[in-house]
Amino acid sequence: MDEAGDPEKEITAKVNEYLYRNGFDHVYDIIVASGGRTNPYGRWATDKILRQGDLVIADINAVGPGGYFIDYVRTWKVDADPTEEEIALYEQCYDQLYSAIEQLQPGNTTKDVAEQFREYDDDEYGSVSIQQAAHSIGISLYEGMWVSRAYSLDYPAELEEGMYFAIETFAGHEDLDQTVRLEENVMITDEGPVITTLCEHPDYFTDHFDHRDYDFLQRQPGHGPA
């Protein structure tokens, strides 16, 4: 992560440059939110300056190479070690994410996935906040199938081999100064979920909490417990 002193828009600019220089067809959106803009979550980069100790959420949405969308999220810490509270928030996001991914199996339903997300505003208001959800992706960013506690618990849909999802979690709580989001891209296969995201998690978070045993992660280098 960049050092303190850079604005959020500088991160957006650098990611755009990197993606285009490495063969991407189109950059749809690069969302960067830092510090107090992570909770509530701000969905656009601003001129806010990154400060030492800020958490920074980056949500990368782009097309290609090859015409397929990517849509993933990671959270980083600027120029400081994470606090115990921040590590706990990362762990909460991490466990929700991989518990939900574990349910992306042929024959399971969207209810099986949604049950892994903690209760959130979507439960109360019937909304789809796109913060604790999954959506199908492919040649477009949103291909029509959604997983949300707002309706998937009552109206489950069957999951099938070949479906491709972006799945995301958020540790948003009232009275937090800043918080964590994560997202992965996952293909459903006859052998279970396959993660296509190549971005690893920062070890200054993941080295400090206990990992559940996610069998599917053992087949995917760069993900899950070291």
Side-chain angles (χ1 to χ4, degrees), residues 69 71 104 110 133-147 151 159 162-168 183 185-186 188:
F69 258 91
D71 178 14
L104 290 173
T110 53
H135 58 89
S136 54
I137 59 173
I139 58 174
S140 64
L141 182 57
Y142 304 111
E143 295 218 321
M145 191 168 187
W146 288 83
V147 182
Y151 48 76
L159 300 173
M163 289 181 172
Y164 189 42
F165 284 96
I167 183 166
E168 50 200 291
E183 183 175 20
N185 297 166
V186 185
I188 298 178

Side-chain angles (χ1 to χ4, degrees), residues 22 46 57 65 89 97 102 107 130 141 158 168 173 179-180 199 202 204-205:
N22 284 275
T46 68
I57 297 171
L89 291 169
L97 181 65
E102 196 168 36
I130 326 182
L141 182 57
E158 186 174 354
E168 50 200 291
H173 303 277
T179 195
V180 176
C199 184
Y204 49 75
F205 286 116

Side-chain angles (χ1 to χ4, degrees), residues 191-212:
E191 296 183 352
V194 173
I195 297 171
T196 60
T197 321
L198 298 180
C199 184
E200 297 183 3
H201 294 277
D203 56 12
Y204 49 75
F205 286 116
T206 58
D207 282 354
H208 296 287
F209 58 77
D210 293 330
H211 297 273
R212 282 183 48 194

Side-chain angles (χ1 to χ4, degrees), residues 24-102:
F24 276 70
D25 297 330
H26 174 66
V27 178
Y28 179 84
D29 192 18
I30 307 297
I31 301 171
V32 176
S34 64
R37 296 191 62 253
T38 63
N39 191 52
Y41 177 53
R43 288 192 173 271
W44 312 109
T46 68
D47 291 325
K48 179 191 171 300
I49 300 297
L50 273 60
R51 299 170 298 181
Q52 184 179 32
D54 275 353
L55 293 176
V56 179
I57 297 171
D59 187 345
I60 298 173
N61 305 272
V63 181
Y68 282 86
F69 258 91
I70 63 165
D71 178 14
Y72 70 93
V73 177
R74 289 292 185 268
T75 300
W76 289 273
K77 179 81 170 182
V78 177
D79 198 23
D81 294 328
T83 66
E84 290 185 5
E85 180 183 50
E86 290 162 356
I87 291 169
L89 291 169
Y90 203 101
E91 182 178 15
Q92 179 186 113
C93 258
Y94 184 101
D95 277 336
Q96 285 186 92
L97 181 65
Y98 289 107
S99 295
I101 291 173
E102 196 168 36

